[in-house]
Amino acid sequence: MFNSISRVLEKPPLYTKSEIAFWNDEHISKQMLEAHLDPEFEGASRKLTFIEKSAAWIKEIVPPSNFPLLLDMGCGPGIYAERLATVGYQVTGIDFSKRSIDYAQNSSLEQGLDITYLYQNYLDMDLNKLFDFTIMIYCDYGALSTTDRQIVMQKVFNHLRPGGKFLLDVFSAAKYNHFQEKKTWEICHNGGFWREDKYVVLNGCYKYSNNVTLEQISIISSRETATYYLWNSYFTKETLIKEANDAGFKVCKVFGDVTGNPYQEDNFTIAILLEK
C-alpha cells in the first residue's frame, strides 16, 4: 500500500498516459454525461448560452450551403452536432466514449435528425470519406501529446477536400500563466464523481515546461488504487499557427474563442480557422 500511495504522489514524466480509459468506465462515464448535459455547468462542455452563440457564429463563417459535410471530432453526446444539423449541415460525429455516442444516437433519433455517429478513437480515424468542414471544440486538441496532435492534424487534413475548413480552439499561454500548482485531498464517504462507493481522491496540479500542465487524479479505495492524467498544452498565437502550417494548413483567421470574439493576448482561449 505504501508503494502504491508513494507512486501516485510523484510527479510523472511528461504526457504519461492513463492506464485505464476512464471515459468508458461505467460510473465515471455516467457522471461525465450528466456534466455534458448540464446547461449551467462549464466543465465537460461550455454553458448552453455559449454553445448557442457559437453554433450561430459557425454557420455564418463557414456556411452549410458551401460546406455541407461536417465532421465533429470529439462530439460527445452531440451538443454541437444537433445544433449544426438543424441549420443545414450533414453531420458526422466521432467520439471514444461509448455512453456519449449511445446517448447522441438515441437523441438524434428522437428528434428526427439525420446524424451519423461513430464510436472510435479519432487518432485511428480512417473514414474513407472527404468532408467540407471539421470542428474540434472545447480545447480537446490541447489535451493531446505533441505526437498525437501531429496525428490529429494529419488525420483532419487527409479527411478534408481541397479548400475545406478546420475550426479548433485551445487554451492560451495567458491561462497557463494563471494556472496554480497545488496538491489537495478529499474523502468521499458516499462516493462521488470518480467512484460509486467510498474513496479518497488525491489531486496534484503540476506545471511543466513548454506551456504544459497536468491534473493528476489518484483514487484510493478498499479495492484499488488508480491514477488518471489530464494533460493540457497551452498555446500562443504563433505556436498554434506553426503547428497548423507544419501540417499543411493555411490560416484563415485567429479569434479569441469559437463565438468569434476578437483575439487578444490575455484571452484564456484561442480559436483558429484553417483551410486545406
Side-chain angles (χ1 to χ4, degrees):
M1 177 61 76
F2 173 79
N3 289 336
S4 296
I5 295 175
S6 176
R7 178 174 55 81
V8 302
L9 290 174
E10 293 176 354
K11 184 178 179 179
L14 182 65
Y15 294 135
T16 298
K17 291 192 176 184
S18 303
E19 295 180 0
I20 307 166
F22 61 85
W23 50 87
N24 276 328
D25 176 272
E26 181 66 23
H27 176 75
I28 299 172
S29 65
K30 182 179 179 181
Q31 310 309 306
M32 291 178 67
L33 179 60
E34 290 178 359
H36 272 297
L37 299 176
D38 185 341
E40 297 302 318
F41 178 70
E42 190 160 343
S45 300
R46 293 192 173 99
K47 291 184 178 180
L48 182 58
T49 52
F50 181 97
I51 294 168
E52 298 283 8
K53 184 178 179 182
S54 177
W57 174 73
I58 289 171
K59 178 190 173 184
E60 294 302 316
I61 62 160
V62 188
S65 56
N66 299 327
F67 299 86
L69 300 181
L70 185 151
L71 175 62
D72 183 358
M73 294 180 62
C75 65
I79 295 171
Y80 269 91
E82 290 183 357
R83 284 160 178 81
L84 295 172
T86 60
V87 298
Y89 294 99
Q90 299 172 44
V91 181
T92 298
I94 182 171
D95 200 280
F96 209 23
S97 167
K98 186 67 165 61
R99 187 183 292 273
S100 287
I101 287 294
D102 287 346
Y103 178 92
Q105 289 173 332
N106 290 333
S107 181
S108 64
L109 287 173
E110 289 174 2
Q111 298 179 66
L113 297 173
D114 185 15
I115 302 174
T116 300
Y117 285 112
L118 304 172
Y119 166 58
Q120 62 175 271
N121 188 344
Y122 48 57
L123 292 173
D124 302 321
M125 184 174 68
D126 186 6
L127 305 183
N128 196 30
K129 180 178 180 179
L130 294 180
F131 295 87
D132 303 303
F133 182 27
T134 297
I135 61 173
M136 191 175 189
I137 289 178
Y138 200 40
C139 303
D140 278 5
Y141 181 74
L144 303 171
S145 69
T146 303
T147 298
D148 285 349
R149 293 199 307 272
Q150 293 171 345
I151 292 172
V152 162
M153 278 287 187
Q154 202 58 57
K155 290 288 185 181
V156 173
F157 192 88
N158 292 341
H159 283 81
L160 281 176
R161 66 164 172 83
K165 301 289 180 70
F166 180 26
L167 175 69
L168 72 151
D169 61 349
V170 297
F171 291 122
S172 69
K175 187 171 177 66
Y176 173 80
N177 293 334
H178 193 262
F179 184 94
Q180 298 294 317
E181 290 194 308
K182 60 183 178 181
K183 293 182 179 180
T184 62
W185 64 274
E186 180 184 3
I187 301 175
C188 301
H189 293 279
N190 299 311
F193 182 91
W194 295 101
R195 292 293 185 274
E196 188 174 4
D197 301 320
K198 181 180 178 179
Y199 65 92
V200 175
V201 58
L202 308 175
N203 286 292
C205 296
Y206 304 110
K207 274 187 165 181
Y208 291 71
S209 60
N210 298 321
N211 288 0
V212 178
T213 66
L214 168 66
E215 182 181 359
Q216 178 177 287
I217 301 106
S218 297
I219 307 302
I220 302 173
S221 70
S222 60
R223 295 189 302 274
E224 62 175 335
T225 299
T227 300
Y228 309 118
Y229 304 104
L230 306 181
W231 295 96
N232 261 311
S233 295
Y234 303 75
F235 296 81
T236 64
K237 177 180 175 180
E238 291 73 23
T239 57
L240 183 57
I241 288 174
K242 183 179 186 306
E243 289 202 7
N245 288 159
D246 287 348
F249 283 103
K250 297 178 288 184
V251 177
C252 299
K253 193 167 182 179
V254 176
F255 305 91
D257 60 29
V258 289
T259 68
N261 281 322
Y263 165 78
Q264 297 179 5
E265 283 191 9
D266 60 352
N267 288 346
F268 276 9
T269 60
I270 306 171
I272 191 167
L273 182 63
L274 306 172
E275 180 180 334
K276 177 175 176 179

